[in-house]
Amino acid sequence: MCELLGMSANVPTDICFSFTGFLHRGGGTGPHRDGWGIAFYEEGGYRDFRDPHPSVHSPIARLITDYPIKSNIVISHIRQANVGQVRLANTHPFVREMWGRPWCYAHNGQLAGWQTLPLSFYRPVGDTDSEHAFCWLLGELRGRFPERPASDAERQGMWRLLHQLCERLRGLGVFNLLLADGDYLYTFCSTKLAHITRRAPFGRASLSDAELTVNFAEHTTPDDIVSVIATEPLTDNEAWERMAPGELLVWRDGRILARYGRCPA
């Protein structure tokens, strides 16, 4: 299956370190050779890079590792195709406008019966179960909330609905998700997602998939908070926390604002 990488930070931060390890899984240390993509929210704007070729050999991927784009939210994906051809239109992450904002989405997993999900406002460009599910999910959110939620109560209502929609998709198969609107990052675990939050005092981290170690104390301030989410932990000397199946986390500025679906211990 595919793999996911996300970041939420309270200050504009580059993802070069994590992405260096992640890209090696795209045809190097992992079998995900069928395309990759990465999206950045920065200074009120959005940009992404996508390539239907293996990330480990991609000049565009190497550009990202050498070009420290600073962002508060990042979503990345490496693909192992199971539905849809290997082509640019089927390469994650996907983006659509809702409430005047670009919504970015990446999915890991495979769904059964996805063609029966009714579409309303949005249509796929490619032919994957992932993009169809994204169009359905956004359409359901927009149908219930025609305008962007303005109050805390409305936002929490939208988040609960998002969790319900993700659970419905999980009922069709494997549905691990990263979703963002520029303010919030949403992560939903169907089978496999892990996260780590780095804050002062910062220490060293070593990648599992590449020979690279960074001392974050040399690149941060005491107020920085940076959280990284990945299908599998990217470092071998840090304690990552695994999400529970059916759990939705809402992130902002590197912190978890809300949690849905995790059973009490």
PDB file of all heavy atoms in Angstrom, residues 179-204:
ATOM      1  N   LEU A 179      -5.698  15.196   5.713  1.00  0.00           N
ATOM      2  CA  LEU A 179      -6.560  16.202   5.108  1.00  0.00           C
ATOM      3  C   LEU A 179      -6.247  17.541   5.760  1.00  0.00           C
ATOM      4  O   LEU A 179      -6.035  17.609   6.973  1.00  0.00           O
ATOM      5  CB  LEU A 179      -8.034  15.832   5.344  1.00  0.00           C
ATOM      6  CG  LEU A 179      -9.113  16.780   4.834  1.00  0.00           C
ATOM      7  CD1 LEU A 179      -9.196  16.753   3.312  1.00  0.00           C
ATOM      8  CD2 LEU A 179     -10.475  16.411   5.441  1.00  0.00           C
ATOM      9  N   ALA A 180      -6.220  18.615   4.964  1.00  0.00           N
ATOM     10  CA  ALA A 180      -5.892  19.927   5.531  1.00  0.00           C
ATOM     11  C   ALA A 180      -6.619  21.024   4.768  1.00  0.00           C
ATOM     12  O   ALA A 180      -6.951  20.871   3.586  1.00  0.00           O
ATOM     13  CB  ALA A 180      -4.385  20.176   5.501  1.00  0.00           C
ATOM     14  N   ASP A 181      -6.845  22.148   5.480  1.00  0.00           N
ATOM     15  CA  ASP A 181      -7.494  23.311   4.863  1.00  0.00           C
ATOM     16  C   ASP A 181      -6.654  24.581   5.010  1.00  0.00           C
ATOM     17  O   ASP A 181      -7.110  25.673   4.693  1.00  0.00           O
ATOM     18  CB  ASP A 181      -8.880  23.535   5.468  1.00  0.00           C
ATOM     19  CG  ASP A 181      -8.823  23.900   6.953  1.00  0.00           C
ATOM     20  OD1 ASP A 181      -7.723  23.922   7.532  1.00  0.00           O
ATOM     21  OD2 ASP A 181      -9.894  24.181   7.529  1.00  0.00           O
ATOM     22  N   GLY A 182      -5.431  24.451   5.486  1.00  0.00           N
ATOM     23  CA  GLY A 182      -4.574  25.607   5.694  1.00  0.00           C
ATOM     24  C   GLY A 182      -4.499  26.056   7.142  1.00  0.00           C
ATOM     25  O   GLY A 182      -3.509  26.643   7.565  1.00  0.00           O
ATOM     26  N   ASP A 183      -5.558  25.808   7.900  1.00  0.00           N
ATOM     27  CA  ASP A 183      -5.563  26.100   9.338  1.00  0.00           C
ATOM     28  C   ASP A 183      -5.389  24.835  10.166  1.00  0.00           C
ATOM     29  O   ASP A 183      -4.658  24.817  11.156  1.00  0.00           O
ATOM     30  CB  ASP A 183      -6.867  26.795   9.747  1.00  0.00           C
ATOM     31  CG  ASP A 183      -6.919  28.248   9.330  1.00  0.00           C
ATOM     32  OD1 ASP A 183      -5.837  28.859   9.178  1.00  0.00           O
ATOM     33  OD2 ASP A 183      -8.030  28.768   9.140  1.00  0.00           O
ATOM     34  N   TYR A 184      -6.089  23.781   9.766  1.00  0.00           N
ATOM     35  CA  TYR A 184      -6.111  22.534  10.526  1.00  0.00           C
ATOM     36  C   TYR A 184      -5.597  21.387   9.666  1.00  0.00           C
ATOM     37  O   TYR A 184      -5.826  21.351   8.450  1.00  0.00           O
ATOM     38  CB  TYR A 184      -7.528  22.199  10.994  1.00  0.00           C
ATOM     39  CG  TYR A 184      -8.167  23.275  11.840  1.00  0.00           C
ATOM     40  CD1 TYR A 184      -9.028  24.212  11.270  1.00  0.00           C
ATOM     41  CD2 TYR A 184      -7.909  23.365  13.200  1.00  0.00           C
ATOM     42  CE1 TYR A 184      -9.611  25.209  12.032  1.00  0.00           C
ATOM     43  CE2 TYR A 184      -8.489  24.363  13.977  1.00  0.00           C
ATOM     44  CZ  TYR A 184      -9.339  25.279  13.391  1.00  0.00           C
ATOM     45  OH  TYR A 184      -9.916  26.270  14.152  1.00  0.00           O
ATOM     46  N   LEU A 185      -4.937  20.451  10.322  1.00  0.00           N
ATOM     47  CA  LEU A 185      -4.550  19.188   9.708  1.00  0.00           C
ATOM     48  C   LEU A 185      -5.348  18.086  10.390  1.00  0.00           C
ATOM     49  O   LEU A 185      -5.385  18.022  11.626  1.00  0.00           O
ATOM     50  CB  LEU A 185      -3.049  18.932   9.888  1.00  0.00           C
ATOM     51  CG  LEU A 185      -2.545  17.546   9.449  1.00  0.00           C
ATOM     52  CD1 LEU A 185      -2.652  17.382   7.936  1.00  0.00           C
ATOM     53  CD2 LEU A 185      -1.092  17.329   9.903  1.00  0.00           C
ATOM     54  N   TYR A 186      -5.991  17.245   9.582  1.00  0.00           N
ATOM     55  CA  TYR A 186      -6.792  16.133  10.095  1.00  0.00           C
ATOM     56  C   TYR A 186      -6.098  14.821   9.734  1.00  0.00           C
ATOM     57  O   TYR A 186      -5.687  14.622   8.584  1.00  0.00           O
ATOM     58  CB  TYR A 186      -8.190  16.151   9.488  1.00  0.00           C
ATOM     59  CG  TYR A 186      -8.916  17.472   9.660  1.00  0.00           C
ATOM     60  CD1 TYR A 186      -8.881  18.440   8.653  1.00  0.00           C
ATOM     61  CD2 TYR A 186      -9.625  17.762  10.816  1.00  0.00           C
ATOM     62  CE1 TYR A 186      -9.535  19.653   8.795  1.00  0.00           C
ATOM     63  CE2 TYR A 186     -10.284  18.975  10.970  1.00  0.00           C
ATOM     64  CZ  TYR A 186     -10.235  19.911   9.959  1.00  0.00           C
ATOM     65  OH  TYR A 186     -10.888  21.128  10.106  1.00  0.00           O
ATOM     66  N   THR A 187      -5.970  13.939  10.719  1.00  0.00           N
ATOM     67  CA  THR A 187      -5.384  12.620  10.472  1.00  0.00           C
ATOM     68  C   THR A 187      -6.351  11.562  10.984  1.00  0.00           C
ATOM     69  O   THR A 187      -6.785  11.617  12.134  1.00  0.00           O
ATOM     70  CB  THR A 187      -4.018  12.481  11.168  1.00  0.00           C
ATOM     71  OG1 THR A 187      -4.168  12.591  12.591  1.00  0.00           O
ATOM     72  CG2 THR A 187      -3.060  13.567  10.690  1.00  0.00           C
ATOM     73  N   PHE A 188      -6.676  10.610  10.108  1.00  0.00           N
ATOM     74  CA  PHE A 188      -7.583   9.524  10.491  1.00  0.00           C
ATOM     75  C   PHE A 188      -6.867   8.204  10.278  1.00  0.00           C
ATOM     76  O   PHE A 188      -6.277   7.959   9.224  1.00  0.00           O
ATOM     77  CB  PHE A 188      -8.863   9.552   9.665  1.00  0.00           C
ATOM     78  CG  PHE A 188      -9.824   8.437  10.010  1.00  0.00           C
ATOM     79  CD1 PHE A 188     -10.621   8.504  11.139  1.00  0.00           C
ATOM     80  CD2 PHE A 188      -9.902   7.303   9.214  1.00  0.00           C
ATOM     81  CE1 PHE A 188     -11.492   7.470  11.473  1.00  0.00           C
ATOM     82  CE2 PHE A 188     -10.772   6.256   9.527  1.00  0.00           C
ATOM     83  CZ  PHE A 188     -11.569   6.350  10.663  1.00  0.00           C
ATOM     84  N   CYS A 189      -6.929   7.357  11.287  1.00  0.00           N
ATOM     85  CA  CYS A 189      -6.262   6.057  11.239  1.00  0.00           C
ATOM     86  C   CYS A 189      -7.276   4.942  11.048  1.00  0.00           C
ATOM     87  O   CYS A 189      -8.201   4.785  11.849  1.00  0.00           O
ATOM     88  CB  CYS A 189      -5.475   5.822  12.525  1.00  0.00           C
ATOM     89  SG  CYS A 189      -4.679   4.200  12.604  1.00  0.00           S
ATOM     90  N   SER A 190      -7.090   4.179   9.998  1.00  0.00           N
ATOM     91  CA  SER A 190      -7.859   2.957   9.779  1.00  0.00           C
ATOM     92  C   SER A 190      -7.062   1.751  10.266  1.00  0.00           C
ATOM     93  O   SER A 190      -7.575   0.886  10.970  1.00  0.00           O
ATOM     94  CB  SER A 190      -8.184   2.815   8.292  1.00  0.00           C
ATOM     95  OG  SER A 190      -8.777   1.580   8.004  1.00  0.00           O
ATOM     96  N   THR A 191      -5.789   1.722   9.894  1.00  0.00           N
ATOM     97  CA  THR A 191      -4.935   0.601  10.287  1.00  0.00           C
ATOM     98  C   THR A 191      -3.586   1.046  10.842  1.00  0.00           C
ATOM     99  O   THR A 191      -3.057   0.425  11.761  1.00  0.00           O
ATOM    100  CB  THR A 191      -4.670  -0.321   9.079  1.00  0.00           C
ATOM    101  OG1 THR A 191      -4.111   0.461   8.010  1.00  0.00           O
ATOM    102  CG2 THR A 191      -5.948  -0.998   8.614  1.00  0.00           C
ATOM    103  N   LYS A 192      -3.015   2.131  10.269  1.00  0.00           N
ATOM    104  CA  LYS A 192      -1.632   2.412  10.602  1.00  0.00           C
ATOM    105  C   LYS A 192      -1.304   3.890  10.391  1.00  0.00           C
ATOM    106  O   LYS A 192      -1.282   4.381   9.266  1.00  0.00           O
ATOM    107  CB  LYS A 192      -0.713   1.548   9.736  1.00  0.00           C
ATOM    108  CG  LYS A 192       0.727   1.474  10.196  1.00  0.00           C
ATOM    109  CD  LYS A 192       1.569   0.640   9.241  1.00  0.00           C
ATOM    110  CE  LYS A 192       1.105  -0.813   9.214  1.00  0.00           C
ATOM    111  NZ  LYS A 192       2.034  -1.622   8.364  1.00  0.00           N
ATOM    112  N   LEU A 193      -1.051   4.615  11.474  1.00  0.00           N
ATOM    113  CA  LEU A 193      -0.502   5.971  11.456  1.00  0.00           C
ATOM    114  C   LEU A 193       0.201   6.193  12.799  1.00  0.00           C
ATOM    115  O   LEU A 193      -0.307   5.766  13.840  1.00  0.00           O
ATOM    116  CB  LEU A 193      -1.586   7.033  11.264  1.00  0.00           C
ATOM    117  CG  LEU A 193      -1.952   7.479   9.843  1.00  0.00           C
ATOM    118  CD1 LEU A 193      -3.035   8.561   9.896  1.00  0.00           C
ATOM    119  CD2 LEU A 193      -0.739   7.985   9.073  1.00  0.00           C
ATOM    120  N   ALA A 194       1.326   6.880  12.750  1.00  0.00           N
ATOM    121  CA  ALA A 194       2.076   7.186  13.975  1.00  0.00           C
ATOM    122  C   ALA A 194       2.472   8.659  13.953  1.00  0.00           C
ATOM    123  O   ALA A 194       2.567   9.273  12.894  1.00  0.00           O
ATOM    124  CB  ALA A 194       3.316   6.299  14.083  1.00  0.00           C
ATOM    125  N   HIS A 195       2.708   9.225  15.135  1.00  0.00           N
ATOM    126  CA  HIS A 195       3.075  10.636  15.190  1.00  0.00           C
ATOM    127  C   HIS A 195       4.069  10.888  16.315  1.00  0.00           C
ATOM    128  O   HIS A 195       4.170  10.123  17.286  1.00  0.00           O
ATOM    129  CB  HIS A 195       1.836  11.521  15.358  1.00  0.00           C
ATOM    130  CG  HIS A 195       1.010  11.236  16.570  1.00  0.00           C
ATOM    131  ND1 HIS A 195       1.229  11.825  17.790  1.00  0.00           N
ATOM    132  CD2 HIS A 195      -0.068  10.401  16.744  1.00  0.00           C
ATOM    133  CE1 HIS A 195       0.334  11.390  18.658  1.00  0.00           C
ATOM    134  NE2 HIS A 195      -0.469  10.519  18.056  1.00  0.00           N
ATOM    135  N   ILE A 196       4.798  11.997  16.170  1.00  0.00           N
ATOM    136  CA  ILE A 196       5.736  12.433  17.197  1.00  0.00           C
ATOM    137  C   ILE A 196       5.690  13.955  17.251  1.00  0.00           C
ATOM    138  O   ILE A 196       5.563  14.616  16.206  1.00  0.00           O
ATOM    139  CB  ILE A 196       7.170  11.942  16.909  1.00  0.00           C
ATOM    140  CG1 ILE A 196       8.091  12.283  18.076  1.00  0.00           C
ATOM    141  CG2 ILE A 196       7.711  12.506  15.596  1.00  0.00           C
ATOM    142  CD1 ILE A 196       9.440  11.581  18.002  1.00  0.00           C
ATOM    143  N   THR A 197       5.741  14.517  18.446  1.00  0.00           N
ATOM    144  CA  THR A 197       5.776  15.962  18.632  1.00  0.00           C
ATOM    145  C   THR A 197       7.116  16.335  19.237  1.00  0.00           C
ATOM    146  O   THR A 197       7.499  15.826  20.292  1.00  0.00           O
ATOM    147  CB  THR A 197       4.629  16.431  19.543  1.00  0.00           C
ATOM    148  OG1 THR A 197       3.377  16.136  18.916  1.00  0.00           O
ATOM    149  CG2 THR A 197       4.720  17.935  19.790  1.00  0.00           C
ATOM    150  N   ARG A 198       7.824  17.223  18.535  1.00  0.00           N
ATOM    151  CA  ARG A 198       9.132  17.679  19.004  1.00  0.00           C
ATOM    152  C   ARG A 198       8.989  19.094  19.555  1.00  0.00           C
ATOM    153  O   ARG A 198       8.441  19.969  18.902  1.00  0.00           O
ATOM    154  CB  ARG A 198      10.157  17.641  17.863  1.00  0.00           C
ATOM    155  CG  ARG A 198      10.356  16.244  17.277  1.00  0.00           C
ATOM    156  CD  ARG A 198      11.442  16.228  16.224  1.00  0.00           C
ATOM    157  NE  ARG A 198      11.648  14.879  15.669  1.00  0.00           N
ATOM    158  CZ  ARG A 198      11.367  14.534  14.422  1.00  0.00           C
ATOM    159  NH1 ARG A 198      10.881  15.443  13.577  1.00  0.00           N
ATOM    160  NH2 ARG A 198      11.569  13.302  14.005  1.00  0.00           N
ATOM    161  N   ARG A 199       9.497  19.283  20.757  1.00  0.00           N
ATOM    162  CA  ARG A 199       9.490  20.594  21.413  1.00  0.00           C
ATOM    163  C   ARG A 199      10.680  20.643  22.363  1.00  0.00           C
ATOM    164  O   ARG A 199      11.353  19.637  22.578  1.00  0.00           O
ATOM    165  CB  ARG A 199       8.173  20.812  22.169  1.00  0.00           C
ATOM    166  CG  ARG A 199       7.920  19.856  23.313  1.00  0.00           C
ATOM    167  CD  ARG A 199       6.597  20.184  24.003  1.00  0.00           C
ATOM    168  NE  ARG A 199       5.464  19.619  23.291  1.00  0.00           N
ATOM    169  CZ  ARG A 199       4.245  20.127  23.320  1.00  0.00           C
ATOM    170  NH1 ARG A 199       4.011  21.240  23.995  1.00  0.00           N
ATOM    171  NH2 ARG A 199       3.250  19.531  22.687  1.00  0.00           N
ATOM    172  N   ALA A 200      10.937  21.832  22.924  1.00  0.00           N
ATOM    173  CA  ALA A 200      12.089  21.987  23.812  1.00  0.00           C
ATOM    174  C   ALA A 200      11.946  21.077  25.040  1.00  0.00           C
ATOM    175  O   ALA A 200      10.840  20.906  25.563  1.00  0.00           O
ATOM    176  CB  ALA A 200      12.208  23.445  24.237  1.00  0.00           C
ATOM    177  N   PRO A 201      13.022  20.480  25.518  1.00  0.00           N
ATOM    178  CA  PRO A 201      14.375  20.577  24.953  1.00  0.00           C
ATOM    179  C   PRO A 201      14.533  19.641  23.745  1.00  0.00           C
ATOM    180  O   PRO A 201      14.214  18.454  23.828  1.00  0.00           O
ATOM    181  CB  PRO A 201      15.265  20.123  26.109  1.00  0.00           C
ATOM    182  CG  PRO A 201      14.395  19.173  26.890  1.00  0.00           C
ATOM    183  CD  PRO A 201      12.998  19.700  26.774  1.00  0.00           C
ATOM    184  N   PHE A 202      15.011  20.197  22.638  1.00  0.00           N
ATOM    185  CA  PHE A 202      15.171  19.420  21.420  1.00  0.00           C
ATOM    186  C   PHE A 202      16.449  18.584  21.487  1.00  0.00           C
ATOM    187  O   PHE A 202      17.421  18.954  22.144  1.00  0.00           O
ATOM    188  CB  PHE A 202      15.237  20.360  20.205  1.00  0.00           C
ATOM    189  CG  PHE A 202      13.927  21.034  19.892  1.00  0.00           C
ATOM    190  CD1 PHE A 202      13.655  22.303  20.404  1.00  0.00           C
ATOM    191  CD2 PHE A 202      12.978  20.414  19.107  1.00  0.00           C
ATOM    192  CE1 PHE A 202      12.458  22.941  20.121  1.00  0.00           C
ATOM    193  CE2 PHE A 202      11.776  21.039  18.825  1.00  0.00           C
ATOM    194  CZ  PHE A 202      11.505  22.301  19.333  1.00  0.00           C
ATOM    195  N   GLY A 203      16.422  17.464  20.779  1.00  0.00           N
ATOM    196  CA  GLY A 203      17.580  16.578  20.759  1.00  0.00           C
ATOM    197  C   GLY A 203      17.907  16.126  19.352  1.00  0.00           C
ATOM    198  O   GLY A 203      17.491  16.736  18.364  1.00  0.00           O
ATOM    199  N   ARG A 204      18.637  15.026  19.266  1.00  0.00           N
ATOM    200  CA  ARG A 204      19.047  14.478  17.978  1.00  0.00           C
ATOM    201  C   ARG A 204      18.034  13.449  17.486  1.00  0.00           C
ATOM    202  O   ARG A 204      17.398  12.763  18.276  1.00  0.00           O
ATOM    203  CB  ARG A 204      20.426  13.816  18.084  1.00  0.00           C
ATOM    204  CG  ARG A 204      21.555  14.792  18.362  1.00  0.00           C
ATOM    205  CD  ARG A 204      22.894  14.074  18.450  1.00  0.00           C
ATOM    206  NE  ARG A 204      23.985  15.020  18.648  1.00  0.00           N
ATOM    207  CZ  ARG A 204      24.637  15.623  17.658  1.00  0.00           C
ATOM    208  NH1 ARG A 204      24.304  15.357  16.393  1.00  0.00           N
ATOM    209  NH2 ARG A 204      25.603  16.475  17.912  1.00  0.00           N
TER     210      ARG A 204
END
